Amino acid sequence: MRHSVIGTAGHIDHGKSAIVKALTGIDPDRLEEEKRRGMTIDLGFAHFDLPGGGRVGIVDVPGHERLIKNMLAGATGIDLVLLVVAADEGVMPQTREHLDILRFLPVRGGIIVLNKIDLVQDPAWLDLVTADLATLTRGTFLEQAPVIQVSARTGEGIPALVGAIDRALDGLATRTADAPARLPVDRSFTMAGFGTVVTGTLWGGRIAPGDTLELLPQRRTVRVRGVQSHGSSVPAGLAGSRVAVNLTGIEKGEIERGNVLATPGVFTPTRRLDMRLRLLPSVPPLPHLARVRLYLGSDEIIGRVALLDRRRLEPDDEAQAQIRLERETVANAGDPLVIRRYSPMLTLGGGVITDAHPPFRRRGEAVAPTAATLEERLEAAIQAAGTTGATVEELIAQVSAARAQVNKALADLAAASRAVQIRGRVFHVEVRDKIASAIRREVAAFHSEVSWRPGIPKDELKTKAYGPGDNRLYAQILEQLVANREVEDGGAFIRRPGFAPIISAADATLRARVAAALLREKFAPPTRADLSKESDPKTFDRVLRTLLDDGTVVEVGPGVYFHEAALEEITRIVADEVGSKGSVTVASLRDRLKTSRKYALTVLEYLDTIRLTRRVGDARVLLDRSK
Ligand SMILES: Nc1nc2c(ncn2[C@@H]2O[C@H](COP(=O)(O)OP(=O)(O)OP(=O)(O)O)[C@@H](O)[C@H]2O)c(=O)[nH]1
Ligand SMILES: [Mg+2]
């Protein structure tokens, strides 16, 4: 069974909670204050079963600008996001801010939910909102996301949304449970008769009753009494799902959001982290040693960012930095992070941890060689895979990082036009561009060298521009060039759009003569030697080629040429024979055509190869094309 967790995101009052309720029947706003004020304050949880099987957990987040901290704690670990936008209001500040945050998290996919469609009658307004959304998501992981119009109030579009969720989750590989357990805690409470319970989205591994775990950064050893997922006891909570863990050996008051429940001995709490940090385009520059809030998992920690190679980090720029924290947290190289300004609060940017236990670094100090980001290492691996490309599995093994992180880095590389995914394999864009240039070059060269042919034969083009082997990448590139009208697909040939072969007057005369000769004795056509008797061999070859190229003449067997009109007549006769007698034989065709056995046989074998007929014993029947 598949386990996944989806999260909501979007501006306040756009209907995130209403959509969760419409999908699951569960009202995620569980606090009395939430019900009274009609807004989400803290995270809400719900779940439902997909029609195709698989239980999905939903984390509902608040849209209020002052509650981004809670949103961040909920968004950690989700697979898929529903970015909810009210159709009557369109893109609003937290639509933007939530998307900015999600861009730094390893969210693997998303759906844009255009809600409150019942309030909008004007199609022009909807077009405007949709266009705004396209601008907003351009270059992000949501660029290709489906946009589903719904009304949480009337229920319109909800089945379509369920379908879109099903499809989106289907495309995501399941997470591996054979890693150390790591549960960023987003809630802890006491349950009568049970004691302390913590919940969260399990990042990795599995948690089962009887396990001894460690609560960090407190370094407290705890025991698991029971595990639930979506309200029912389970033998084990698995990576990628929502879990509630009943613990012994600890009081609720000793646990808070942001703590991590983990396999003992794997993580050492830290107060210093190296990171690759990127600022959003729309924020003020970040000075050296600025005080910020760091978001890691479900944790929020205050710290100062030391820029190692510059005085300040400009918007939309990236740098290596070290953050010094005011208290301990749990981190691992490769973890995604977000930073916000200390005050007034504003999402500044995010990035990835490059070292969770670095030495103290001074300004100007060289950064450890391990500082190559996952994205950089991934890009190098994709480049090395060349025209063969690599599967996501192969890439995960090569960069030894978690699937979610690799997927996120791949999405970033794709958004930055550095990598493309073609039918399950990832290729570097430079590889694609090189092949596209080779195709353009070979087509142009062919036209200038062999201007009397209608284009370069497809096989020849592939061999020259790409070489042998798996042609998924090649086929896709060629298709793209055809779609862009850079080249034209002329059946057996590729040519410059609109190119027409240039045939000399002398060649044209010979062409007409050869064609006429073949037509004259159409069922027992002259041989190549007969036809070429009075011409220069090179000229004859060229002229015959032009006849074959445009289909006037067909080579039905080695050195046996029929005029296309003759072949058409034969096809009719064969169909007629089969129609009246049930099948056609070499002898019966020979008699009908008044030709030799050799010609009748060659023609029938040709009809077999083009799959018009099929041989049954000594006879042939028509091949049913509908099968
Ligand atoms: N007409 C109409 N109203 C809706 C629809 N969906 C939600 N609403 C109303 O919009 C208001 C806000 O809905 P919520 O679901 O609480 O919005 P939210 O996005 O969860 O808000 P926060 O959690 O505070 O960010 C409520 O009064 C809902 O009844 C809809 O499709 N149509
Ligand atoms: Mg809400």
Side-chain angles (χ1 to χ4, degrees), residues 64 79 107 161 164 168 183 198 228 252 281 296 308 336 369 381 389 396 399 447 484 503 507 572 603 614:
H64 197 292
D79 297 303
V107 181
L161 178 57
L183 181 78
V198 299
Q228 293 201 341
K252 170 192 180 284
L296 256 178
L308 300 177
I396 287 171
V399 301
H447 283 320
N484 293 347
I503 293 170
D507 281 9
R572 272 199 307 275
V603 165
R614 184 166 60 87

Side-chain angles (χ1 to χ4, degrees), residues 551-602:
T552 307
V553 170
V554 179
E555 185 172 16
V556 297
V560 182
Y561 300 93
F562 272 71
H563 195 280
E564 162 229 13
L567 211 54
E568 220 170 89
E569 224 180 305
I570 295 171
T571 309
R572 272 199 307 275
I573 291 168
V574 166
D576 182 57
E577 277 286 304
V578 176
S580 59
K581 299 189 191 139
S583 68
V584 60
T585 61
V586 174
S588 70
L589 185 66
R590 178 199 58 201
D591 295 347
R592 290 273 316 246
L593 300 182
K594 302 191 176 55
T595 183
S596 71
R597 189 184 154 75
K598 178 190 138 216
Y599 279 127
L601 178 64
T602 310

Side-chain angles (χ1 to χ4, degrees), residues 130-146:
T130 312
D132 266 4
L133 276 167
T135 311
L136 177 74
T137 55
R138 188 161 307 137
T140 74
F141 73 103
L142 287 183
E143 183 162 16
Q144 305 288 335

Side-chain angles (χ1 to χ4, degrees), residues 16-17 29 39-40 60-61:
K16 296 178 290 299
S17 302
D29 288 338
M39 65 180 274
T40 305
D60 183 40
V61 307

Side-chain angles (χ1 to χ4, degrees), residues 12-18 39-40 63 115-116 118 151-153:
I12 186 164
D13 260 354
H14 279 198
K16 296 178 290 299
S17 302
M39 65 180 274
T40 305
N115 186 33
K116 304 199 186 184
D118 57 301
S151 164
R153 174 148 303 167

